Amino acid sequence: MMETATYNAALRELDESRARYVQPSQLTDEARSLLARAQQARRTVLGSSVHCCDLIDRQRNEVALPHQEWEIAEALREYSRLMKAEPDRPRGGMVAAVIDVRRKSLAASLQGIQRRVVALEAYADEVRRADDRFQELKQIEQLTEGSADVLELLARTARHDHAVAEIDGMNAQAAAVAATFTAALESAKEAAAIALPPAIEGA
């Protein structure tokens, strides 16, 4: 008797836990796609720097977004259940007419869920844009903090120009010395040619 009660309690707990989760196998293809979009929007917001730095309403996001995602998942699970409950082979025109009306109602329900997902995606897009601007601002601040070093480096340009002028002067001096040596070498070659005896033909 005790084992039966324990087993029944375990079954109830399993049923309750199933109600708290939505499995991909429970959803139609379009429902899975919508849920994936909602989950991506939630991840975008909660993973943003503006959220983590409390620049947007972090506390509200952490409560509202999982709630929004869960309600969307529940609605998609119910939509999928009703879609899958339709007979594979309708018998007769009356059944087909009922299915047509039913599908229009389900389509309207799915459109409502889709509008909710689109609203979440729009919010995620705004958060992404805010995040981009925030990152740009941080980079500009980082570059501004290093502006003193840039100015110092720029100030060295004058010293570089002075050094170039000094080196140019040294270069001119070295060129003058080289020219003097070249002239002296030519003179020495001419003097040597005069001092040496002429070459004897046939020697």
Side-chain angles (χ1 to χ4, degrees):
M1 187 69 177
M2 188 66 177
E3 291 180 358
T4 303
T6 303
Y7 177 73
N8 290 336
L11 285 179
R12 282 195 302 274
E13 184 176 350
L14 181 60
D15 288 338
E16 290 173 1
S17 66
R18 284 175 179 169
R20 293 194 295 269
Y21 296 93
V22 175
Q23 301 296 329
S25 59
Q26 296 175 304
L27 303 177
T28 63
D29 291 343
E30 55 192 350
R32 274 196 298 271
S33 176
L34 277 176
L35 181 56
R37 287 166 55 184
Q39 291 171 331
Q40 180 57 49
R42 173 186 56 79
R43 285 193 295 267
T44 297
V45 174
L46 298 184
S48 67
S49 296
V50 291
H51 168 80
C52 296
C53 295
D54 285 321
L55 299 175
I56 55 177
D57 196 337
R58 178 174 180 174
Q59 185 175 2
R60 185 176 183 181
N61 283 334
E62 290 176 349
V63 173
L65 293 182
H67 178 70
Q68 291 281 350
E69 181 186 348
W70 173 244
E71 287 197 342
I72 289 170
E74 275 190 315
L76 289 171
R77 180 175 61 187
E78 183 62 14
Y79 163 83
S80 299
R81 185 186 69 80
L82 294 171
M83 283 293 294
K84 292 178 179 181
E86 292 182 357
D88 295 331
R89 297 178 180 178
R91 299 293 180 90
M94 295 293 292
V95 176
V98 171
I99 289 176
D100 184 59
V101 173
R102 176 190 172 97
R103 285 184 176 175
K104 287 179 180 178
S105 298
L106 289 174
S109 173
L110 186 64
Q111 288 172 2
I113 300 170
Q114 187 173 12
R115 287 194 296 271
R116 192 168 180 174
V117 171
V118 169
L120 271 180
E121 289 177 324
Y123 177 48
D125 286 341
E126 286 300 328
V127 170
R128 188 185 296 109
R129 277 190 283 272
D131 219 35
D132 290 342
R133 300 294 86 78
F134 177 57
Q135 296 300 332
E136 287 180 27
L137 179 61
K138 286 177 64 177
Q139 290 177 352
I140 289 173
E141 288 175 347
Q142 183 179 4
L143 291 171
T144 304
E145 288 173 359
S147 60
D149 295 334
V150 174
L151 292 174
E152 172 61 25
L153 185 62
L154 187 61
R156 295 180 187 176
T157 303
R159 293 202 294 272
H160 293 321
D161 292 340
H162 177 73
V164 168
E166 184 179 3
I167 293 170
D168 285 345
M170 294 164 61
N171 184 41
Q173 184 181 14
V177 171
T180 300
F181 284 149
T182 299
L185 179 60
E186 291 297 330
S187 298
K189 285 172 63 179
E190 291 176 3
I194 294 172
L196 290 174
I200 301 174
E201 293 183 4

